[in-house]
Amino acid sequence: MRLLRRSGRRPRAETIRPAERYLIAGAAEARRLGHDYIGTEHVLSLLTRDPHGSATRLLVQLGVSTEAVERALACRLQDASPAATIDAHALAALGVDFEAVRERLEQTFGPGALERTRSACLGICPRLKLALAYALDHAADRPLADEHVLLGMLSVPDSVAARALAELDVTFEDAHARVDAES
């Protein structure tokens, strides 16, 4: 695997760029849920939401539905947003008009600026980094595709995505065989 040959030298930028779209989409999903990290569970959730995506097609071939993946990830993808974020009445008691503050923020930074601040800086889980590195290895000289990312996540057996898929009897070997058969 190329992953093992990378040690000692920096990966070329053109090999990393294809994975950026998965990180960006995973970050949006993590922020939506109020999480302060991007993990394999966020990326897996997004992969399975695309009904025409190659990862969804691969999982269906393996006998796993999108709904089954969503159920397996449900406890890991709970909304972590605080129930009560800002108490407008408490601020009013201090002489602060919360709605005026929100309006000013939105004028300056755009709609939803206050809500976007809760998870501005996200960490990337090491297992996701490793999964994306494996995904690039699985893609080899081909463009990085959803099925490669799925294989990358399955290549890291202690990742949240791999554990959720294992609960659904999805193995790396079965998925890899299907991807090889289609190549």
Side-chain angles (χ1 to χ4, degrees):
M1 288 187 137
R2 285 189 334 211
L3 178 69
L4 299 176
R5 287 185 274 152
R6 283 189 190 148
S7 61
R9 54 172 220 238
R10 190 170 178 206
R12 295 184 324 239
E14 64 269 15
T15 62
I16 293 174
R17 292 248 181 257
E20 280 182 41
R21 69 184 175 115
Y22 296 99
L23 286 174
I24 292 167
E29 178 70 358
R31 281 190 179 96
R32 183 184 72 76
L33 295 167
H35 295 175
D36 60 356
Y37 67 94
I38 311 165
T40 57
E41 61 272 29
H42 299 108
V43 175
L44 178 60
S45 175
L46 292 168
L47 288 178
T48 59
R49 280 195 209 145
D50 180 3
H52 305 293
S54 56
T56 303
R57 187 174 55 251
L58 175 60
L59 288 170
V60 167
Q61 290 173 355
L62 294 169
V64 177
S65 69
T66 299
E67 295 77 22
V69 174
E70 287 175 7
R71 282 191 304 274
L73 289 174
C75 66
R76 296 162 176 108
L77 291 178
Q78 293 177 353
D79 191 337
S81 302
T85 53
I86 297 175
D87 186 347
H89 296 294
L91 289 174
L94 298 172
V96 176
D97 182 354
F98 175 68
E99 288 307 316
V101 171
R102 178 190 299 277
E103 185 177 314
R104 181 77 187 266
L105 281 169
E106 290 186 354
Q107 286 173 352
T108 306
F109 300 106
L114 186 63
E115 288 75 19
R116 286 194 308 266
T117 62
R118 69 177 178 195
S119 295
C121 187
L122 300 176
I124 303 170
C125 289
R127 288 176 183 89
L128 177 59
K129 292 177 187 179
L130 189 57
L132 291 173
Y134 276 120
L136 289 167
D137 286 342
H138 292 301
D141 295 328
R142 297 167 295 197
L144 184 65
D146 293 357
E147 69 268 16
H148 302 127
V149 175
L150 186 65
L151 287 174
M153 288 188 283
L154 287 167
S155 297
V156 184
D158 59 341
S159 71
V160 172
R163 288 189 308 234
L165 291 169
E167 291 171 14
L168 301 170
D169 297 323
V170 175
T171 66
F172 171 81
E173 293 75 19
D174 291 342
H176 191 266
R178 293 278 183 166
V179 170
D180 277 352
E182 289 183 10
S183 297

